[in-house]
């Protein structure tokens, strides 16, 4: 498989898919409150997707049963919404993808439930900063490793670690296209970036060690050392003018 270059027309559709994803994530953010069960978020997503005429990317993917991933505290990614009750001070990673007119949008953010402690707040800010640092170097003729290195350096220079076993990815008609985009790497290495590439960048950043373990449900990925983790993701297009974030309202 190789990296698929999108036309302007295809990117315009991905802009619509991305806007739907961002709209729903913003809504979920506003709805989060202590005492809520994580499965309530899934119900909201179903209703909003129907209103907006889009389909969920994750439901049925390798047998995943929900419409979004909800990962709490030391859970990194792929948490399944269910009976878990959210408490004041939890941090919740919401990862959500939608399909619109045959194209995918994929984004994630971590948000605090009520008031969170300063360490958790700083973790979330750092992870979002790492994503922005990766996006900032996504210009035509840069290399994929420049993105990976920018993300890694941003997080590690602040004393955090980046998850290594899970990566960003190309995206388009398929949720996961070439290339894989590790959140660590060396500048000046990897494929050359071209205008028309559409990529999902998604740093997962831990307060402690980068190592992970798989939960009992065989989906949820957790930090091996039990430390807090955050996750931010955007789908972007590389254009002649530079990076364009597609998953915005
Ligand atoms: Mg993704």
């Amino acid at each position: 498989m190789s990296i698929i270059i999108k036309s302007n027309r295809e990117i315009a559709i991905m802009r619509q898919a991305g806007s739907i994803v961002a709209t729903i994530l913003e809504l979920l953010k506003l709805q989060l409150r202590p005492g809520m069960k994580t499965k309530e978020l899934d119900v909201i997503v179903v209703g909003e997707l129907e209103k907006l005429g889009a389909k969920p990317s994750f439901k049925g993917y390798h047998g995943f049963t929900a419409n979004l991933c909800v990962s709490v505290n030391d859970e990194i990614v792929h948490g399944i919404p269910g009976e878990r009750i959210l408490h004041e001070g939890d941090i919740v990673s919401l990862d959500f993808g939608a399909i619109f007119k045959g194209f995918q949008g994929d984004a994630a953010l971590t948000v605090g439930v009520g008031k969170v402690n300063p360490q958790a707040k700083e973790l979330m800010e750092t992870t979002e900063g790492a994503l922005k640092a990766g996006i900032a170097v996504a210009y035509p003729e840069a290399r994929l490793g420049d993105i990976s290195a920018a993300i890694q350096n941003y997080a590690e220079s602040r004393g955090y670690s980046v998850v290594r076993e899970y990566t960003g990815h190309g995206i388009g008609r398929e949720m996961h296209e070439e290339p894989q985009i590790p959140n660590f790497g060396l500048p000046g290495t990897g494929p050359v970036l071209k205008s028309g590439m559409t990529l999902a960048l998604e740093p997962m950043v831990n307060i402690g060690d980068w190592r992970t373990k798989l939960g009992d449900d065989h989906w949820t990925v957790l930090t091996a050392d039990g430390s807090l983790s955050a996750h931010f993701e955007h789908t972007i297009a590389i254009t002649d003018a530079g990076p364009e974030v597609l998953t915005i309202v």
Side-chain angles (χ1 to χ4, degrees), residues 95 106 169 176 200 202 233:
D95 188 355
D106 188 5
H169 48 92
H176 293 135
E202 50 177 320
E233 175 179 23

Side-chain angles (χ1 to χ4, degrees), residues 21-99:
V21 169
T23 299
I24 293 177
L25 279 173
E26 282 304 311
L27 192 88
L28 294 174
K29 224 165 111 172
L30 294 173
Q31 298 285 328
L32 267 188
R33 61 180 193 283
M36 183 179 214
K37 285 184 179 176
T38 57
K39 70 177 184 187
E40 293 177 54
L41 297 166
D42 197 62
V43 173
I44 295 169
V45 166
V46 171
E48 293 304 312
L49 278 171
E50 192 168 313
K51 267 190 236 169
L52 296 167
K55 293 206 158 16
S57 302
F58 300 172
K59 188 153 190 172
Y61 189 82
H62 293 285
F64 192 75
T65 52
N67 296 276
L68 82 163
C69 299
V70 181
S71 308
V72 183
N73 295 339
D74 61 333
E75 297 174 352
I76 302 168
V77 284
H78 305 164
I80 307 169
E83 299 297 327
R84 183 168 183 163
I85 293 171
L86 297 174
H87 299 287
E88 176 101 15
D90 284 343
I91 63 168
V92 183
S93 296
L94 306 172
D95 188 355
F96 174 59
I99 309 166

